[in-house]
Amino acid sequence: MLETMPIGRSLLSQTQIRARVKQLGRDLTRHYRKKRPVFLGVMNGALFFLTDLIREVGLEEVEISCVRLASYAGTQSTGKLRGLGAMESLRAELQGRHVLIIDDILDTGYTLAALVACVKELGAADVKTCVLLDKHRKREIAIKADWTGFKIADEFVVGYGLDFDGRYRGLKQVRVLKP
Ligand code: IMP
Ligand code: MG
């Protein structure tokens, strides 16, 4: 049976998200203007962020790559990261490249830390990270994203790609899930 969890107040409006994504796009354009980066999106959560962000990056040569990772069940981190094994198939795509990992949210830090280590191990020339949201109070591993959209409090959020067991990704705002 589906657990009922009504969605609560809006934390970030569509306008706020759009404005911040535009700024990030400008910063990334400046940083990568002489490079040919690969934007590696962490699916499914980063889907909307990646596609909006890449259209705000005024570079002709940006490639997109994706990896599907998951560590959450409901509103809790399982502590186990699933999906890293498939990264081996991206070796040729990422070797020697400037890789920007794009994720929806940085929480305990396990996902991003493991992925950064993995992309380095695959032979990327440079690895940087960009997250839409940062729940910095929940960090268990010392990791900081190179670019962050918004710092938020320790609340479970959905919308704009973020889900609760696969639901609510299509919401236009980022909203808090009511307990
Ligand atoms: P970490 O490994 O604990 O940093 O978890 C990061 C991953 O957990 C993100 O990529 C999300 O998929 C998921 N996650 C963490 N917090 C939330 C949240 O508030 N809403 C939805 N997903 C979340
Ligand atoms: Mg995720």
Side-chain angles (χ1 to χ4, degrees):
M1 205 179 82
L2 282 178
E3 199 182 329
T4 44
M5 262 302 215
I7 28 186
R9 70 180 198 284
S10 170
L11 197 64
L12 299 168
S13 69
Q14 214 179 344
T15 312
Q16 283 174 298
I17 297 170
R18 225 179 254 152
R20 187 68 187 115
V21 169
K22 235 182 225 303
Q23 273 174 355
L24 287 171
R26 275 197 290 268
D27 295 348
L28 292 171
T29 305
R30 210 171 306 127
H31 182 83
Y32 285 110
R33 72 182 183 279
K34 294 208 174 113
K35 309 271 180 350
R36 210 158 55 83
V38 181
F39 283 11
L40 173 65
V42 183
M43 295 298 117
N44 293 327
L47 180 60
F48 302 138
F49 183 41
L50 171 68
T51 56
D52 283 347
L53 190 59
I54 204 152
R55 283 173 291 181
E56 297 296 342
V57 170
L59 300 171
E60 281 172 24
E61 301 214 47
V62 186
E63 285 170 39
I64 296 180
S65 194
C66 290
V67 56
R68 192 156 188 205
L69 299 180
S71 62
Y72 261 66
T75 62
Q76 295 301 316
S77 175
T78 60
K80 286 191 208 104
L81 188 60
R82 286 169 285 129
L84 263 191
M87 285 296 292
E88 184 55 40
S89 65
L90 298 181
R91 186 180 285 273
E93 230 169 277
L94 303 182
Q95 212 158 34
R97 304 297 301 270
H98 285 74
V99 179
L100 178 69
I101 297 172
I102 298 180
D103 205 357
D104 52 0
I105 186 164
L106 179 53
D107 186 31
T108 62
Y110 285 113
T111 303
L112 211 55
L115 190 53
V116 167
C118 180
V119 173
K120 282 185 180 159
E121 199 278 321
L122 291 177
D126 180 70
V127 188
K128 296 220 165 1
T129 54
C130 175
V131 296
L132 176 71
L133 306 174
D134 180 359
K135 261 193 231 175
H136 53 289
R137 272 184 227 119
K138 290 245 337 241
R139 201 78 83 253
E140 290 175 21
I141 283 201
I143 181 168
K144 223 176 137 263
D146 295 287
W147 290 274
T148 298
F150 302 90
K151 284 197 170 168
I152 64 165
D154 177 16
E155 294 178 294
F156 198 83
V157 291
V158 292
Y160 194 66
L162 292 119
D163 72 306
F164 166 63
D165 280 347
R167 287 182 281 159
Y168 311 125
R169 287 197 203 274
L171 294 171
K172 291 184 174 123
Q173 315 88 3
V174 171
R175 305 187 79 99
V176 175
L177 200 66
K178 270 195 207 147

